[in-house]
Amino acid sequence: SEKLANDASSVTLSEDAKLVYYINKGELKVLKVKHGDNASDKAKVLCDEDVSNYVVTSDCKKVYYVSDGSLYVVNAKTGKGKKTIANDDVSSQLAINGKDVVYYAMEGDVYATKGGKGKKVVSDAEYMESTPNGIVYIATEDAIYATKGAKKPAKIFSYE
């Protein structure tokens, strides 16, 4: 079995605790968790490019990942069906909300996608974070935005 990296942020466990997603030496992998005599430690490689970050949808059907400045989406169990979402200087910062909307940063702006071409939702963002309960927070120089369900984040705070 492989020793996982010390960075726990690079490990994602499915809600039913049957799938573990992780990055090992740049490769994005998925491991089916089985117990007893049938246990397997053979992880499936979903992407063998240099993956810097990823997010998995709540139903574990899709995984979005950033590699070499581009954002891709693939089937979360097989790694097939690779589709490019954005390929122009995408940062490694990714977030996903409770409705499986994925947020990514490109040249300082934040875009939202649900599998298609992303739409700009916040300009000049400085920070983005998603919480375990599915809320995405985006901070700019003068405001904080939040979203759980809608694609477009709502302004929840303005600096005076």
Side-chain angles (χ1 to χ4, degrees):
S1 65
E2 294 177 46
K3 184 172 188 234
L4 295 184
N6 290 336
D7 181 11
S9 66
S10 69
V11 177
T12 303
L13 185 65
S14 64
E15 283 183 29
D16 62 5
K18 291 186 176 168
L19 298 169
V20 178
Y21 294 88
Y22 62 97
I23 297 172
N24 186 280
K25 297 180 184 140
E27 293 183 330
L28 178 58
K29 297 182 175 186
V30 61
L31 177 66
K32 275 189 182 152
V33 179
K34 295 179 184 165
H35 303 286
D37 295 339
N38 299 348
S40 167
D41 64 356
K42 291 260 189 282
K44 178 161 190 56
V45 176
L46 297 177
C47 171
D48 60 1
E49 300 161 44
D50 191 18
V51 176
S52 56
N53 200 359
Y54 70 95
V55 290
V56 183
T57 57
S58 59
D59 60 6
C60 288
K61 288 191 173 169
K62 292 180 183 170
V63 62
Y64 294 80
Y65 66 89
V66 177
S67 175
D68 292 328
S70 295
L71 177 65
Y72 303 100
V73 61
V74 294
N75 180 299
K77 292 187 176 129
T78 65
K80 292 186 172 29
K82 180 176 170 182
K83 184 174 155 190
T84 304
I85 303 293
N87 60 1
D88 186 29
D89 198 25
V90 177
S91 87
S92 63
Q93 208 172 18
L94 285 178
I96 189 164
N97 76 3
K99 299 285 186 204
D100 290 334
V101 177
V102 175
Y103 297 86
Y104 61 96
M106 209 163 63
E107 296 173 354
D109 299 327
V110 173
Y111 294 78
T113 181
K114 202 155 176 165
K117 185 172 174 3
K119 289 192 171 117
K120 188 192 297 188
V121 292
V122 176
S123 296
D124 300 324
E126 295 181 347
Y127 181 75
M128 178 169 58
E129 181 76 40
S130 58
T131 63
N133 60 350
I135 299 173
V136 173
Y137 294 97
I138 300 166
T140 64
E141 195 173 280
D142 56 6
I144 297 174
Y145 298 83
T147 177
K148 184 166 187 170
K151 268 191 185 177
K152 185 138 177 73
K155 187 185 288 187
I156 61 167
F157 181 80
S158 283
Y159 300 105
E160 292 304 319

